[in-house]
Amino acid sequence: MGELEPVGYQHLIEYLNLGAKVRPLEAPAFLNGSVNQKVRGQNGFWYPRKTAVEQTLIGHVEFALRNEGVNLEVLEAVFEHLPEAELLRRLSESPNSAFVRRTCFFWEWLTGGNLAFDKSPSGAYVDALPEADYFTSDSAHTIRHPKFRVRDNLPGTPDFCPLVRRYALTDGPSLDELLDEADRTLEQVTDASLYERAVHYLYLSETQSTYGIEKEKPNGSKGERFVQILARAGEEERITEEWLVDLQNVIVRDAYAQEASYRTKQNWLEDGTGRITFFPPPPEDLQRAMQGWEGFINEHPDTGGYRCPNVLVRAACAAFGFVFLHPFLDGNGRIHRFLIHHVINGARRLKGGAIVPVSAVFLRRADEYLNVLNGFSRPTTRLWKYAPGEDAPHVTASPGGRPYRFFDATPEVRFLHAMLVEAVRTELPRELHWLSGFDSAFEQLNDELNIPRPDLSALIRMVQSNNGKLSSNKRKTFKHLPDEVIARIEDVVREAFAAASVQPDINGASHSSRSRS
């Protein structure tokens, strides 16, 4: 292997000492004299040493935009060190270069500055974000900037703009196709009263699952209130700080955890050993990021179309962006999962107001879910410098809001798509099968046995969740019932659930080793 020379974003990070301000690149670029073409090396991408790169800051920015794509996090950090004079020099030399014009556009877009360049380029308009590589804004929201002849097709604003590579959704069904499948599955429930119960059961199961991920079990009133909120997900309502505060007050465990606004102090997450696993942005940077996040999620078709028109992409970016920003001290994870429903339902509702039970799949795929969260939280938290404190860590340095405003949401989009596929094709039929089996067993046993309805319901669940047998431990709770009655319940439950080849985890048991509240 020849000697490696960092180029593009990696050169800029090393030359400007940005390692403490931006997250490491997933695949940095290097020049290597032993290769004749671009290849994937063990530590990134290698380019032939003969590759032309102007050895200036803007020269490496041009290389990065040409070969590595758009990294807003690094660009904003670099532009704090890139003199206007160097930009103007390069623009005067190559006023029609697409990469120079895009660099100038990004400089103004990210810094809010104004380059004093009177002579307008004459080249054709170019996209700020290559449409072939990224999900971009729709044509109704693309803004032409004649100064550099660049089309602003970014899906967000400088306050919040996650980017998603198109390869995130190259495989599998589209969201519309998945929702069509879900509707066809629901149409198999032909009895109107059973359908109504099925819809409510989906809400209840989703509520139990989303709390179960946090290792909590909602009490009756709080669980029912969350069910009611789920039923309203997607209604045309502008998401504001006040709206989110009201939602947070509904879902948190107790009144002491209820918020009156976005947080005004630093919070963090830690594991069972007390080790800090995640720092959300500092409170002084949170307000700007949340303002950008609200703008991202509130784009509405009445304005001519969404700036981020792909619904699944918008749902993933908004939901995961919210939990990364962590604007409350408690309840962020449950709101994050609710937002998935809110965005998807806002674009298209299932028959009868049903929902896709995605939290149930998150719960079952807890390790994968945690890996996606850690993919953002670990490298971001490493940018923080702190010392242990008696009540709170003593923070000496942080990256500010930049990593939280600009992140590559490609992994989050791919994960959400995979979870929705499983929710529609496996979890939804599973839950409908379970409800059908439960109803059949309950109806038959309720006619035969003189057992209070709540006890009968509990017995059916206990027997079904234990492979058709009431455990000896649970048997103690119902020691007043004769053995032959218990045996009859077990027989009927096994028979009723025989049609359901797979059963859902309706108790919300968490398999996660870490809470993301």
Side-chain angles (χ1 to χ4, degrees):
M1 181 179 73
E3 183 180 352
L4 299 179
E5 177 186 342
V7 67
Y9 289 126
Q10 187 64 28
H11 170 89
L12 293 165
I13 291 171
E14 294 185 16
Y15 182 79
L16 297 172
N17 296 315
L18 301 178
K21 297 182 178 181
V22 299
R23 288 164 297 188
L25 302 174
E26 182 180 345
F30 300 92
L31 299 180
N32 186 338
S34 65
V35 299
N36 296 317
Q37 59 183 355
K38 175 185 174 182
V39 298
R40 182 67 188 254
Q42 59 187 14
N43 59 344
F45 286 103
W46 298 347
Y47 293 81
R49 189 166 294 279
K50 63 182 179 181
T51 303
V53 184
E54 181 184 274
Q55 292 302 315
T56 60
L57 294 180
I58 192 171
H60 284 277
V61 170
E62 288 182 58
F63 175 91
L65 291 178
R66 184 188 303 271
N67 297 284
E68 300 179 79
V70 177
N71 187 320
L72 296 172
E73 180 184 0
V74 176
L75 287 175
E76 187 183 66
V78 168
F79 289 159
E80 293 176 353
H81 303 272
L82 183 59
E84 293 182 44
E86 185 170 344
L87 276 167
L88 293 171
R89 187 260 318 163
R90 189 72 184 91
L91 185 59
S92 64
E93 292 175 353
S94 303
N96 295 324
S97 165
F99 296 103
V100 174
R101 286 186 284 138
R102 288 173 66 208
T103 301
C104 293
F105 163 80
F106 280 122
W107 187 91
E108 290 195 347
W109 191 82
L110 287 164
T111 67
N114 180 30
L115 289 171
F117 189 75
D118 298 328
K119 182 181 178 182
S120 296
S122 59
Y125 271 86
V126 295
D127 290 330
L129 206 58
E131 194 167 340
D133 300 325
Y134 294 91
F135 286 96
T136 64
S137 66
D138 62 6
S139 57
H141 278 92
T142 298
I143 304 169
R144 288 182 172 236
H145 290 264
K147 185 175 182 179
F148 304 115
R149 299 185 71 79
V150 171
R151 287 184 292 267
D152 175 6
N153 61 346
L154 291 154
T157 68
D159 296 333
F160 182 80
C161 190
L163 300 183
V164 179
R165 301 272 186 167
R166 286 200 175 270
Y167 64 72
L169 295 178
T170 54
D171 300 322
S174 68
L175 179 61
D176 277 339
E177 290 170 334
L178 282 172
L179 296 180
D180 285 342
E181 288 186 36
D183 271 333
R184 288 194 294 271
T185 299
L186 289 163
E187 285 169 0
Q188 297 174 20
V189 183
T190 56
D191 180 83
S193 61
L194 179 59
Y195 191 93
E196 185 176 346
R197 287 199 61 231
V199 170
H200 182 77
Y201 175 71
L202 288 170
Y203 289 138
L204 181 61
S205 175
E206 187 71 1
T207 299
Q208 292 173 333
S209 295
T210 197
Y211 276 86
I213 291 170
E214 313 298 340
K215 298 184 179 180
E216 292 185 23
K217 186 174 182 179
N219 60 35
S221 61
K222 194 164 290 290
E224 185 55 37
R225 289 173 70 186
F226 194 82
V227 166
Q228 293 171 6
I229 290 171
L230 274 176
R232 296 179 54 200
E235 289 185 1
E236 294 185 15
E237 191 163 2
R238 187 173 183 83
I239 292 184
T240 62
E241 181 176 3
E242 181 181 7
W243 188 90
L244 287 167
V245 165
D246 288 343
L247 178 59
Q248 191 268 354
N249 289 177
V250 168
I251 68 172
V252 294
R253 207 166 14 183
D254 54 60
Y256 297 105
Q258 292 179 345
E259 307 277 9
S261 67
Y262 294 145
R263 60 182 169 83
T264 56
K265 60 182 181 179
Q266 187 62 54
N267 57 345
W268 65 94
L269 297 179
E270 56 186 43
D271 61 18
T273 68
R275 180 180 63 91
I276 292 177
T277 57
F278 180 57
F279 274 112
E284 59 269 22
D285 296 291
L286 178 65
Q287 197 64 38
R288 176 189 180 184
M290 286 306 299
Q291 181 178 349
W293 179 90
E294 289 174 21
F296 182 91
I297 197 172
N298 281 325
E299 293 284 358
H300 194 273
D302 289 346
T303 65
Y306 287 103
R307 188 163 177 84
C308 181
N310 185 291
V311 176
L312 195 153
V313 169
R314 191 166 70 255
C317 289
F320 281 95
F322 180 90
V323 82
F324 296 157
L325 291 168
H326 234 69
F328 300 119
L329 299 181
D330 190 19
N332 299 285
R334 279 151 285 180
I335 296 175
H336 139 77
R337 290 182 291 275
F338 167 82
L339 290 168
I340 294 171
H341 294 291
H342 185 80
V343 173
I344 291 175
N345 287 10
R348 174 180 165 186
R349 298 192 72 88
L350 293 177
K351 177 185 175 183
I355 57 174
V356 176
V358 67
S359 290
V361 183
F362 278 20
L363 180 60
R364 193 165 57 251
R365 301 284 188 178
D367 288 344
E368 296 172 49
Y369 183 30
L370 182 61
N371 285 340
V372 172
L373 296 172
N374 283 340
F376 175 86
S377 64
R378 282 177 176 165
T380 303
T381 300
R382 290 191 189 106
L383 299 177
W384 289 69
K385 305 301 179 187
Y386 61 95
E390 184 175 344
D391 298 317
H394 176 62
V395 176
T396 57
S398 83
R402 183 183 293 131
Y404 309 86
R405 292 186 288 115
F406 306 129
F407 62 97
D408 183 346
T410 303
E412 287 78 7
V413 170
R414 295 185 72 172
F415 173 78
L416 180 57
H417 180 250
M419 296 303 98
L420 286 169
V421 169
E422 184 166 339
V424 168
R425 294 181 172 176
T426 302
E427 191 62 31
L428 181 60
R430 178 201 305 258
E431 298 202 4
L432 293 178
H433 277 305
W434 189 94
L435 182 61
S436 177
F438 177 89
D439 277 9
S440 175
F442 189 92
E443 182 178 358
Q444 185 173 346
L445 292 169
N446 191 49
D447 289 341
E448 291 183 21
L449 306 174
N450 186 23
I451 297 177
R453 295 171 66 91
D455 287 353
L456 179 58
S457 176
L459 280 163
I460 293 172
R461 293 171 184 268
M462 292 174 186
V463 170
Q464 186 270 341
S465 65
N466 195 45
N467 298 317
K469 294 287 292 183
L470 186 65
S471 70
S472 56
N473 187 47
K474 300 293 186 183
R475 181 69 177 90
K476 297 174 185 176
T477 306
F478 297 94
K479 58 185 177 182
H480 59 285
L481 294 177
D483 289 342
E484 58 269 23
V485 170
I486 296 297
R488 177 57 180 159
I489 292 172
E490 291 173 339
D491 288 342
V492 171
V493 168
R494 284 195 295 269
E495 187 176 310
F497 280 93
S501 57
V502 189
Q503 60 192 41
D505 178 0
I506 63 168
N507 297 313
S510 175
H511 306 292
S512 176
S513 60
R514 163 185 169 191
S515 172
R516 168 78 59 160
S517 68

